[in-house]
Amino acid sequence: MATHGPHQLKVFYLPPLDFSGITLKEALEQVRAAYIQTCRESGEEPLALVFTLPTGVNPVLTLKTRYRTLESTVHLLAATSKLAVKRHGTEFRFATPPHGNGRVVRREFDLPPGINAADFLAEIGLVLDADTRLVSTPGSLVVESANAADLAACGSVALSLAMDPPVSQKLTAKLVQLPAGIEWQYGDLSLMTDMDVQATMRDLATRKGVDLMTLPSVLAKPEQDAKIEIVRELITQSDDPAGGFETHPVGVVLDSNLYPFDLGHQVKSDLSITSGQVDPANGRAVIEQQADIGCESFSTDAGTIVKVQTHPDGSRTVLMISPLLIDASGKPARETEGGR
């Protein structure tokens, strides 16, 4: 069974969660339940998470999250509770910040590019002391305050944002048209590694009658619709009594929507392959649906989902979808993590 280490909790994505009107303890149990359910859906083995709170501290929260990493979510809960938190292996230890001596303390926190911390603080509804001063600039947050709880909350927010920087998802896809009788070893919704894909494409390239196509890649924000089109326009006379012409796009269209999930992605895609011609008898478009493939599945990061449609004549259309999480610099966001 697939497993992961505690250090990967900062790249392990949970679905959106609603903590409105519940206590911190209840929120953490909701995080645990969402983590276990996410592991169950993706084939990971969950770690035994432990959450330790200071005695007598259990505030009621008003917070909702989007798709966010687990460790980032825990730091966000700490921030809205005016607490500090630190992970020790699989244990998250929350702590009440020590009381200050009344003197103003200045702290500067690094932030991912493109993040406005002041806007984010307002978004999560974090209320700070009237005398706490914030200066948010690209890449940093400066906090000046005599309130130790405010300093701890801002520190937790900075850590949360650092563990959940802006990301995009790169989608690449390949199409394979297999004549009847050609061997294909992967079943529907199989998962291939990059080495599997390369070896398979090299093998198929030597087979007579096999048609291989690599579609253009597309980059999209999580949950943002992405479309890949390789089409031509079939122009025919319009049925409108006023005359004119109609345009019919025919070719390959791949509509996708994906979001980070666990250590990989949830992918939903719909492929349509059409051909068309003009009927010489009446001048109307004759559109033929050659393939229509829907796919909804989990993929590991940089893995490839296989979806197969078998046609009545025994030929097959194979769709191969490969998602990859990309950071703001355009590099893979999930690098191999070291340490514990």
Side-chain angles (χ1 to χ4, degrees):
M1 182 178 290
T3 58
H4 53 276
H7 59 284
Q8 291 174 289
L9 295 174
K10 61 184 176 183
V11 292
F12 187 108
Y13 278 84
L14 297 177
L17 298 172
D18 187 352
F19 304 117
S20 302
I22 63 175
T23 66
L24 177 57
K25 286 183 179 178
E26 291 170 331
L28 292 171
E29 287 308 311
Q30 188 173 333
V31 168
R32 188 199 314 278
Y35 167 65
I36 292 172
Q37 180 61 30
T38 301
C39 286
R40 183 177 294 119
E41 293 180 18
S42 61
E44 290 285 329
E45 182 179 350
L47 300 169
L49 302 182
V50 176
F51 302 107
T52 305
L53 298 179
T55 302
V57 175
N58 193 26
V60 176
L61 308 176
T62 56
L63 177 68
K64 295 181 180 180
T65 64
R66 53 174 176 77
Y67 291 95
R68 197 172 197 87
T69 67
L70 188 148
E71 194 157 353
S72 171
T73 299
V74 173
H75 278 276
L76 201 56
L77 291 173
T80 56
S81 303
K82 296 290 188 79
L83 298 172
V85 65
K86 189 172 183 180
R87 180 179 58 79
H88 300 267
T90 58
E91 181 185 7
F92 289 90
R93 299 176 189 170
F94 289 75
T96 303
H99 292 291
N101 55 11
R103 297 176 59 182
V104 174
V105 176
R106 181 182 187 276
R107 291 183 183 170
E108 183 172 358
F109 304 99
D110 292 332
L111 297 176
I115 293 292
N116 185 310
D119 289 346
F120 186 76
L121 291 173
E123 179 185 331
I124 64 174
L126 183 60
V127 179
L128 301 176
D129 189 88
D131 294 328
T132 295
R133 182 171 177 268
L134 301 178
V135 179
S136 180
T137 60
S140 72
L141 170 66
V142 176
V143 184
E144 294 181 355
S145 180
N147 188 310
D150 282 4
L151 292 169
C154 290
S156 292
V157 165
L159 284 170
S160 177
L161 292 172
M163 293 174 183
D164 194 36
V167 293
S168 299
Q169 289 171 285
K170 182 179 180 180
L171 184 73
T172 57
K174 292 179 172 60
L175 281 177
V176 182
Q177 301 289 356
L178 298 172
I182 295 292
E183 181 183 352
W184 175 256
Q185 63 175 312
Y186 294 95
D188 201 28
L189 290 181
S190 296
L191 195 62
M192 302 173 71
T193 66
D194 186 55
M195 291 183 62
D196 292 335
V197 173
Q198 293 181 33
T200 299
M201 298 298 277
R202 283 195 300 267
D203 175 58
L204 291 176
T206 66
R207 306 289 189 95
K208 185 178 180 179
V210 174
D211 185 18
L212 308 176
M213 177 188 292
T214 298
L215 304 184
S217 61
V218 64
L219 200 65
K221 297 294 184 183
E223 295 188 276
Q224 182 183 68
D225 292 334
K227 182 186 289 288
I228 300 174
E229 292 182 303
I230 304 177
V231 298
R232 65 181 180 88
E233 293 184 343
L234 184 65
I235 301 175
T236 62
Q237 291 185 345
S238 173
D239 291 334
D240 192 322
F245 296 91
E246 293 179 343
T247 300
H248 307 270
V250 294
V252 178
V253 178
L254 179 64
D255 288 305
S256 298
N257 184 282
L258 60 162
Y259 52 88
F261 186 80
D262 194 312
L263 300 173
H265 311 256
Q266 282 287 2
V267 180
K268 183 177 182 180
S269 292
D270 290 292
L271 171 73
S272 174
I273 304 177
T274 55
S275 62
Q277 59 183 355
V278 179
D279 188 332
N282 56 26
R284 294 184 178 180
V286 179
I287 308 298
E288 180 184 354
Q289 188 82 42
Q290 297 182 327
D292 185 12
I293 300 177
C295 174
E296 189 167 359
S297 182
F298 172 79
S299 172
T300 56
D301 201 37
T304 296
I305 303 169
V306 177
K307 185 69 179 177
V308 183
Q309 182 178 25
T310 302
H311 306 293
D313 63 357
S315 65
R316 283 168 290 180
T317 299
V318 180
L319 173 63
M320 305 164 70
I321 301 175
S322 306
L324 179 65
L325 202 65
I326 299 294
D327 66 18
S329 70
K331 297 179 180 179
R334 290 187 177 109
E335 301 292 346
T336 301
E337 301 282 344
R340 300 178 64 184

